[in-house]
Amino acid sequence: MKRLALCALTAALAAALPARALDGKPAVDRDTLVVALPSGPGNLDPLIPPSIDSAKFAWNSFDTLYGFDREGRLEPRLATAHQVSEGGLVHRFTLRRGVKFHNGDAFSAEDVKFSMERVLLPETKSTRRPFFVNTVESVEAPDAQTVVFRLKQKDGAFLNKLAGYLYIVPKAYLQSLKTPEAFAQAPVGTGAYRIVNHQIGRSLEFARFDGYWGTRPAIAKLVYRFVPEPSSRVNALLAGEADVGVEIAPADIERLNDAKGLATELVAGGSPLHIRIYSNDPATPLSKPQVRLALNYAVDKDAIIKSVLRGQAAPLGALIPNSYPYGADAALKPFAYDPPRAKKLLAEAGLPNGFETALTCPTTQPRTICEALAAYWGQVGIRTQIKVIDSAAYNRLNAAHQSGPLVVMGFGNAIYDPIHVIGGTVAKNGTWSDYFNPEVEALIQQVEGESDRGKRDALFKQILRLARDDGQAVLLAEPQLGYLRDTALQWKPQVAGWNLDFRGASWK
């Protein structure tokens, strides 16, 4: 009861605060943009952390060979041309001339070669490695403006993977450091902004890079402020301390939708909100498909969407949301809310009295979701302990396969292709996968080498159906992403990407 009263008081105070930052009154000045985010990056080396982590800062300070526009369409960045051999095993890129790193070093094909080879090294512990290690045979730099990737097998999403995963780092600079880990303390890229200050857990500051190869950003300085509580991020805008708020709670978007001087933005998240199940330990109940399916049938997803997510989410029938450009299967409907069926499945698994488990709940997700899940599961005999951990710990443990036995997960579509989700969470060796199904694995290997989009679409649909029927994950919803901004700020968030790109932002 005290917690509910505190939430109500916080909302009332937020509504009463004067809107000093609104109507074109920046938090600092018109050369600065202050952004309130829920958490900071766990690592400023863009090749190391989870994609949702790096995507919040890397698009501003690093570049890839190709990138994505706001809608997720591929566009040239550090490369100006791309050629693929007839057999699909050789990808040749012509590189942009005159590009400089933030430290003044000239960008060349050797930097691209070094960046990929660094990802492939096991000791680098790159979360991108699983997406390339079975595909890339070698990388060649025949001259400064040409880089050639030779593949072991065809990869229908190779260009998308390069655009979403392979940030280019400077070979000479990184090799001059005492340890590779030192790069995260003083990162250097080719992006529109260079990182100038990082106060862990508090803020990250960028300054415009005047030597940037592309269009010069209108705003000279970016300041990320890390504000874990969603209501506090709202308060930061209303109190004139921030210009943009990221990952705003659904209730606040609903409440502030018509606030003067404040614009609310909702975009499809492209993120399947689900529960990752550590199912590959045969000694645990979660190894049994009946138990995993019971976890799904025990939860009223419609009620969670309506009450916790305030209707700002779409139902989720499979791990690929229907907002994806392809690969989704609209015919797969969400699991029905059916507690009797859940109990029957538990009994079939030899657990008529249920069992005890634990649910890891990162602070980036509403705790009310975790509480609702524990309550629903408790009604069918699954007694669940909630473990709340901060974002940095969550990212570290989740990538190291130490966040189980159950964990709330949601991540952006880093490459605008379904293989990001499937390869990361369903494949046997996926970065965030603790699941193995031989039939699914064979289909994943098949889709990896298929370049025809229609055939890829059909294969993904097969994978989704098999994984869903096996209870690979607890499917919850596809939340929309909520943003707040000053109406005088000209900026639109990325659609279904979770990336933050402020290169084109400007004040009216």
Side-chain angles (χ1 to χ4, degrees), residues 24 49 56 150 153 199 217 228 244 268 299 396 448 451 470 475 488:
K56 293 179 180 180
R150 298 190 182 277
Q153 59 187 26
Q199 297 185 45
V244 176
V299 177
R396 183 176 66 252
E448 285 274 24
S451 57
D470 197 32
L475 305 170

Side-chain angles (χ1 to χ4, degrees), residues 145-480:
Q145 261 62 56
T146 307
V147 65
V148 179
F149 294 88
R150 298 190 182 277
L151 308 186
K152 304 173 188 176
Q153 59 187 26
K154 288 196 300 182
D155 186 344
F158 187 64
L159 189 56
N160 289 67
K161 291 178 183 178
L162 292 178
Y165 298 142
L166 191 66
Y167 296 103
I168 307 304
V169 298
K171 176 182 178 179
Y173 171 71
L174 205 146
Q175 290 184 332
S176 73
L177 301 173
K178 291 183 178 179
T179 65
E181 292 75 19
F183 182 73
Q185 307 303 314
V188 169
T190 60
Y193 290 94
R194 54 190 178 85
I195 295 171
V196 294
N197 187 29
H198 183 207
Q199 297 185 45
I200 296 175
R202 295 182 60 189
S203 65
L204 180 65
E205 297 183 13
F206 308 76
R208 183 170 56 206
F209 177 42
D210 290 333
Y212 179 53
W213 59 266
T215 302
R216 172 187 168 96
I219 294 175
K221 184 178 180 180
L222 301 178
V223 179
Y224 283 6
R225 289 183 180 163
F226 308 131
V227 186
E229 287 295 325
S231 59
S232 297
R233 293 197 291 279
V234 173
N235 291 349
L237 266 82
L238 296 174
E241 298 169 355
D243 306 304
V244 176
V246 175
E247 293 179 45
I248 302 301
D252 286 320
I253 290 288
E254 185 178 64
R255 177 172 61 88
L256 296 169
N257 196 40
D258 296 320
K260 184 178 182 298
L262 188 64
T264 60
E265 300 275 357
L266 281 173
V267 296
S271 172
L273 179 63
H274 65 283
I275 305 304
R276 170 181 175 180
I277 302 175
Y278 281 66
S279 61
N280 51 8
D281 182 351
T284 72
L286 298 175
S287 66
K288 301 179 179 182
Q290 300 99 318
V291 172
R292 302 193 296 269
L293 290 169
L295 289 168
N296 274 285
Y297 284 114
V299 177
D300 188 343
K301 286 91 169 178
D302 288 339
I304 289 177
I305 290 173
K306 182 178 179 180
S307 60
V308 179
L309 301 176
R310 312 296 291 183
Q312 297 167 28
L316 190 66
L319 206 57
I320 300 301
N322 291 330
S323 66
Y324 268 56
Y326 80 106
D329 189 347
L332 293 177
K333 303 304 179 185
F335 284 97
Y337 176 45
D338 193 342
R341 188 171 184 178
K343 290 180 180 180
K344 184 174 183 291
L345 286 164
L346 289 173
E348 291 175 1
L351 296 162
N353 298 317
F355 61 97
E356 293 185 356
T357 189
L359 174 64
T360 299
C361 187
T363 53
T364 50
Q365 298 289 350
R367 177 167 178 147
T368 45
I369 286 180
C370 300
E371 293 170 344
L373 290 169
Y376 282 124
W377 289 335
Q379 291 176 0
V380 299
I382 302 172
R383 299 169 294 282
T384 307
Q385 175 193 2
I386 296 174
K387 301 186 296 184
V388 179
I389 60 175
D390 65 40
S391 175
Y394 163 76
N395 285 332
R396 183 176 66 252
L397 294 173
N398 211 32
H401 299 263
Q402 297 174 5
S403 60
L406 299 167
V407 59
V408 182
M409 265 202 73
F411 51 88
N413 184 6
I415 64 171
Y416 288 92
D417 190 277
I419 198 61
H420 172 68
V421 177
I422 298 303
T425 67
V426 181
K428 180 180 179 181
N429 295 317
T431 300
W432 308 282
S433 176
D434 298 278
Y435 170 80
F436 174 61
N437 179 322
E439 193 174 357
V440 169
E441 194 69 19
L443 287 169
I444 292 174
Q445 295 301 316
Q446 191 176 344
V447 78
E448 285 274 24
E450 180 57 64
S451 57
D452 181 270
R453 184 143 167 170
K455 293 179 180 179
R456 287 175 66 83
D457 183 73
L459 287 167
F460 279 125
K461 285 179 167 60
Q462 291 183 58
I463 292 168
L464 291 181
R465 187 171 295 276
L466 286 168
R468 180 190 184 280
D469 292 348
D470 197 32
Q472 177 266 335
V474 180
L475 305 170
L476 297 179
E478 182 198 5
Q480 293 177 303

